[in-house]
Amino acid sequence: MTSPFRVLLVGCGGISSNWLRPTLASKQLELVGLVDLSTSTAEARAAEFDIDTSKVHIGSDLQTALGTTKPDIVFNCTIPAAHFEVTTAALQAGAHVLSEKPLADTMAEAHQMIALAKETGKTLAVMQNRRYNPSIRAVRKLLAGGLIGDITTINADFYIGAHFGGFRDSMAHVLIKDMAIHTFDAARYLISTRAEAVYCHEWNPAGSWYERDASAQAIFEMTDSVVFNYRGSWSSEGQHTSWDSSWRIVGTKGSLTWDGVTGLSIDVVSGTGGFFSEFSKPDVPALEESDMTRWHGFAIDAFVDALAAGNTPETHAEDNIHSLAMVFAAIESAQQQARVLVDVETLT
């Protein structure tokens, strides 16, 4: 067996727990360091997971940690505003990077990071953990098999009243930038398409505990003449959807609804000629109940397996930038109150 990949984890906030659990359990990975702006935060995370600090570097200075630990991989678990600095430092130090979403805080930074990854010959990928929900993978397979014909419309609702506290409470475009990236990426993944244009409206509803806009609706024009409608809110109390949104997908031969968890219903046209068509409900496999805290582990395993085999990870940056472009195009549309092209080369 080859030596495990040496991993330096940067950013020891709450989300880092979902990264550390599978990292410490993996035979393919060796944790060599924890870095956070607050050394005490890194120390607390180490204590929580019984990490031997005599063997694992703990500190607040990234450059020192990179030089001391010489990692093969950096896990970037920092806030979005720090992604560029951490990722570029890691790539320059010769490490592969798996980063929390979004890939970058601007499109310009995303392009620079992708260019640097190519220059250094290292892999840069994004933690789109919700792609590793067993249910979404099963739904994608059904759609790809043509069960409801050619897809024409895809709708997603995301309504959760999340009282995070911390940086999100004052973050600009908090819903679109922090959470909608998951749903935008899922829409692309489900039907293997890309966005071409968007009209988005963003607002902060009465009663919101966020300082800035926490609700949004967006209409995306996708390739193959598909329309993707997104409706969402971070400050919607009660009747929550799942964290993976609630979906309605319409095709030329029927429709599919999925609650983002295990609830799946499909109607397929079985007869026409009347006022309403006749429908049958095909036998479909039961969706697997899955603990969402495991999906980070699935994504990490897939990333590491790809590195070990010399393959490109599913969520590599050159693909993920198309999901990021949907985010920034939606923001630009909301600011301009106009339809905006989703162009990875011109968006800022």
Side-chain angles (χ1 to χ4, degrees), residues 17-26 28-29 75 98 100 125-138 189 244 288-307 313-315:
S17 293
N18 288 346
W19 292 69
L20 280 170
R21 196 172 296 110
T23 297
L24 295 171
S26 174
Q28 297 187 84
L29 300 174
F75 287 162
L98 180 60
E100 264 296 342
V126 182
M127 174 54 81
Q128 295 288 175
N129 56 305
R130 282 170 168 75
R131 281 197 182 202
Y132 294 89
N133 174 355
S135 291
I136 197 173
R137 298 182 93 79
Y189 175 71
D244 286 277
E288 177 184 343
E289 186 77 48
S290 178
D291 178 0
M292 65 183 291
T293 62
R294 298 173 58 205
W295 303 342
H296 273 75
F298 296 159
I300 287 170
D301 287 346
F303 176 76
V304 173
D305 287 345
L307 289 185
E314 181 178 304
T315 60

Side-chain angles (χ1 to χ4, degrees), residues 142-164:
L142 290 172
L143 294 171
L147 186 62
I148 61 171
D150 296 330
I151 306 303
T152 64
T153 310
I154 180 167
N155 300 330
D157 285 348
F158 176 87
Y159 288 95
I160 288 181
H163 297 258
F164 288 106

Side-chain angles (χ1 to χ4, degrees), residues 4 48 54 60 64 110 115 126 140 153 219 221 260 273 277 297 315 335:
E48 176 187 350
S54 68
S60 60
T64 298
V126 182
R140 182 177 188 263
T153 310
I219 304 170
E221 301 165 36
S277 295
T315 60
Q335 291 174 328

Side-chain angles (χ1 to χ4, degrees), residues 107-266:
M107 289 296 289
E109 290 179 349
H111 283 298
Q112 289 180 58
M113 290 191 293
I114 289 171
L116 183 58
K118 289 181 178 178
E119 180 184 325
T120 57
K122 297 302 174 182
T123 298
L124 170 60
V126 182
M127 174 54 81
Q128 295 288 175
N129 56 305
R130 282 170 168 75
R131 281 197 182 202
Y132 294 89
N133 174 355
S135 291
I136 197 173
R137 298 182 93 79
V139 172
R140 182 177 188 263
K141 186 176 180 180
L142 290 172
L143 294 171
L147 186 62
I148 61 171
D150 296 330
I151 306 303
T152 64
T153 310
I154 180 167
N155 300 330
D157 285 348
F158 176 87
Y159 288 95
I160 288 181
H163 297 258
F164 288 106
F167 74 92
R168 289 180 179 86
D169 282 2
S170 58
M171 181 179 174
H173 315 291
V174 61
L175 175 70
I176 295 177
K177 188 178 285 188
D178 185 58
M179 190 63 201
I181 180 70
H182 281 302
T183 309
F184 294 173
D185 185 72
R188 286 187 54 230
Y189 175 71
L190 279 168
I191 59 173
S192 301
T193 188
R194 290 180 179 175
E196 296 182 322
V198 61
Y199 182 84
C200 179
H201 178 67
E202 204 179 16
W203 76 103
N204 205 24
S208 171
W209 47 94
Y210 293 88
E211 294 179 16
R212 307 193 187 188
D213 293 342
S215 293
Q217 294 190 12
I219 304 170
F220 286 95
E221 301 165 36
M222 312 295 282
T223 52
D224 300 323
S225 300
V226 176
V227 173
F228 166 43
N229 300 294
Y230 171 83
R231 303 187 301 179
S233 177
W234 261 143
S235 59
S236 174
E237 296 283 40
Q239 296 296 314
H240 289 174
T241 63
S242 75
W243 286 86
D244 286 277
S245 299
S246 176
W247 299 81
R248 175 182 288 271
I249 302 173
V250 182
T252 55
K253 297 179 181 178
S255 292
L256 175 153
T257 58
W258 172 49
D259 66 1
V261 192
T262 59
L264 176 66
S265 181
I266 302 174

